[in-house]
Amino acid sequence: FTTLLYTIKFEQGHLCRSSEECEDDADFDDFKDDLNVMKISEIECNIQCILKSMNSIPGMCPIVTRSMMYSVMPNRSIVDSELITLGEMCKLKLFSFRSKTLDYIMLFTDYSAFLNEKLREFGIPADRIVSTLKQCKHVMFFKKTELKTRFCLSDDSISILTEQRFLSFNPVDMKYEFALPCAGNFIELLGKGRLDILNHLKNKHSNEVLESELISMKFRHCSLGIRFILYDLIGSGHVQSIKCGMGNLIRLHSQH
């Protein structure tokens, strides 16, 4: 996969802008400073850029979906392959939501910081969990005995983590998976935001609107951020982003 030291080029997403287009953007200057101090993969770079468009919501983790990555990196096979590689390198933490039809992703550093902050409230040390997850690169599901032996978790700790939704239990195979308590809320807000924007486009005679106009609008359920939700809609194929003389045009996909 590609590593880069502040080299940013987004060919298809249109929402993530190139460094040349962002020279006068104060917010992007801060982002450049972050990139200048470390080598970063294109996937990680895109995740950080997308998260810049996510509104801050109490209790919400910095999460992106796989579809969002597709919106800024046109080759889905490469995205899927690099996500696996970065997961194995413990650069990312990949999750799947309930029916396994929607993947969401966190930078591993963000996930580690989240665990350290939240588990402290329950008196459960997160260091052992984080270090063991780094060793279990190819394992996502664990038996209760493994949680006890490998993660040094007591029965009480396992119960607390399950009740607080840091662990997800599957009664079919009797295995646990590390999860995020805010995942359900994130998916709900994302779904409502998607619907708001799609309904707006459907009500347009041409089923399209300028991105600049869309961004400036007030939507009832786009609390995650309009730009942020657009990444997901473009990557999932619900809408298209088309360059035109007046900017980018957001058009409802014909199949939707």
Side-chain angles (χ1 to χ4, degrees), residues 94-241:
L94 296 109
F95 304 87
S96 54
F97 182 72
R98 294 179 184 170
S99 63
K100 315 300 180 185
T101 57
L102 178 64
D103 292 336
Y104 52 100
I105 305 155
M106 278 186 77
L107 295 170
F108 199 91
T109 51
D110 287 340
Y111 180 62
S112 175
F114 172 75
L115 284 181
N116 275 290
E117 177 188 355
K118 296 299 180 182
L119 297 192
R120 192 180 300 119
E121 300 174 13
F122 305 102
I124 301 173
D127 292 347
R128 181 59 182 260
I129 294 176
V130 172
S131 62
T132 305
L133 283 174
K134 287 182 177 180
Q135 297 169 14
C136 305
K137 300 175 183 178
H138 303 284
V139 184
M140 291 186 67
F141 305 97
F142 302 91
K143 295 179 179 178
K144 190 171 186 178
T145 53
E146 293 176 305
L147 292 177
K148 290 181 175 182
T149 56
R150 302 179 74 170
F151 293 88
C152 295
L153 292 172
S154 65
D155 286 321
D156 287 342
S157 294
I158 293 171
S159 295
I160 291 172
L161 291 175
T162 305
E163 289 170 4
Q164 299 297 323
R165 295 177 293 175
F166 290 96
L167 282 174
S168 176
F169 178 65
N170 187 337
V172 177
D173 58 13
M174 301 296 288
K175 289 186 178 181
Y176 293 82
E177 178 184 10
F178 282 90
L180 288 173
C182 64
N185 189 31
F186 173 82
I187 300 303
E188 181 181 359
L189 292 177
L190 182 64
K192 288 181 176 179
R194 275 180 170 184
L195 195 59
D196 251 9
I197 294 174
L198 290 175
N199 284 338
H200 178 74
L201 290 171
K202 287 176 182 178
N203 290 331
K204 287 281 186 178
H205 178 70
S206 59
N207 292 148
E208 60 188 30
V209 65
L210 283 171
E211 179 190 317
S212 57
E213 179 185 334
L214 193 66
I215 296 298
S216 66
M217 295 183 64
K218 300 292 184 182
F219 287 96
R220 182 179 180 184
H221 297 298
C222 287
S223 55
L224 288 173
I226 297 172
R227 286 186 186 275
F228 185 75
I229 295 168
L230 276 177
Y231 283 118
D232 187 77
L233 286 172
I234 292 169
S236 60
H238 287 79
V239 304
Q240 297 171 289
S241 181

